Amino acid sequence: MPLTEAKIFTCEQSRELAEKIAASYGTKLGNVITSTYSDGEFQPSYEESIRGTRIFIIGSTHPGPKNLMEMLLMIDAAKRASARHITAVLPYFGWARQDRKDKPRVPIAAKLVAKMLETAGATRIITMDLHADQIQGFFEKPVDHLFASTIFLPYLKSLNLENLTIASPDMGGSKRAYAYAKALESDVVICYKQRAKANVISYMELIGDVTGKNVVLVDDMVDTAGTLTKAADLMMERGALSVRAICTHPILSGDAYQKLKNSKLEELIVTDSIPLTQQSDKVRVLTCADLFSAVMQNVHYNKSISSKFVM
């Protein structure tokens, strides 16, 4: 039986990125119409046959809940329309910060989301820079966990920064920082922080010397930008020549844009896994469309994707 061409569909919140991915793939997005009731309930409908085909559904699941619900409904509709393979392409896997019980009587939301995606009918997951690598273990289906380092490293090398030092904004990101430092043959410094509560830092200290260095902070996401801006200001006070930041997922909630504007951070480099809510002179967006389209093609034609893993 000959291999039929794959079809690509998108959830509404990721349409701009999905159009880039489809163009890079060499096709057009499939036709989906979403009907919305007056109370906010919505219903996606595939307006073309997907029987017996492999389909890719692109959509980040960042909160609010509508984004995740849209993905689940799209997967369920595809399963009921007899799609052969249903691959959920999640450039940003939302709810990933709840990957364990860090205190009594709280949920493990990342595990719940994984089960919901599989129950809806996803047969494969493609995502990028999970908040915690072990989230892959929450799935019983195959997970292709891509790294945005394949996008960021060429850009960093193009800057030709002298005395480059890679920094982790917290202890948990030290593994990622060391991987970047190894690829760039640079030093590493780490910030130690304590939180009063979620998104509120009570204390931060720097482990390492940044005097006379061009520093690049590396993290998987930027939410309120409190950690990044505080770390950047601290490093400039300690004698750094410049501070940039690389963050895969630009959540940028609350007054994040104002914090960036007022900080000593020279540049924030992100991907388009999540659409920006506003523009900023300090934010540079690098597209992840080519990375996802290449992996999707290799998955469809049963080819290796190991070349897409830099770290």
Side-chain angles (χ1 to χ4, degrees), residues 8 26 28 34 42 60 66 71 77 94 106 120 130 170 190 222 237 246 270 273 275 293 300:
I8 302 175
K28 292 184 178 179
T34 300
F42 57 93
S60 291
K66 180 182 177 182
M71 173 60 77
V106 296
L130 287 168
D170 52 38
I190 297 173
V222 51
E237 290 171 9
I246 281 177
V270 300
S273 63
S293 70
H300 180 55

Side-chain angles (χ1 to χ4, degrees), residues 152 156 161 164-170 173 176-177 180 189-191 204 206 210 214-221 225-236 242-248 260 263-269:
F152 291 137
L156 277 181
L161 295 173
L164 175 64
T165 293
I166 299 298
S168 172
D170 52 38
R176 183 183 292 106
Y180 271 85
V189 297
I190 297 173
C191 293
M204 178 178 283
L206 184 64
V210 294
N214 289 297
V215 182
V216 176
L217 284 152
V218 180
D219 209 350
D220 65 307
M221 66 174 69
T227 298
L228 283 184
T229 54
K230 193 176 184 68
D233 292 347
L234 177 61
M235 289 174 183
M236 291 300 289
S242 68
V243 183
R244 290 173 173 80
I246 281 177
C247 295
T248 306
L260 289 174
S263 76
K264 295 176 181 177
L265 197 67
E266 188 164 318
E267 185 179 37
L268 172 62
I269 308 144

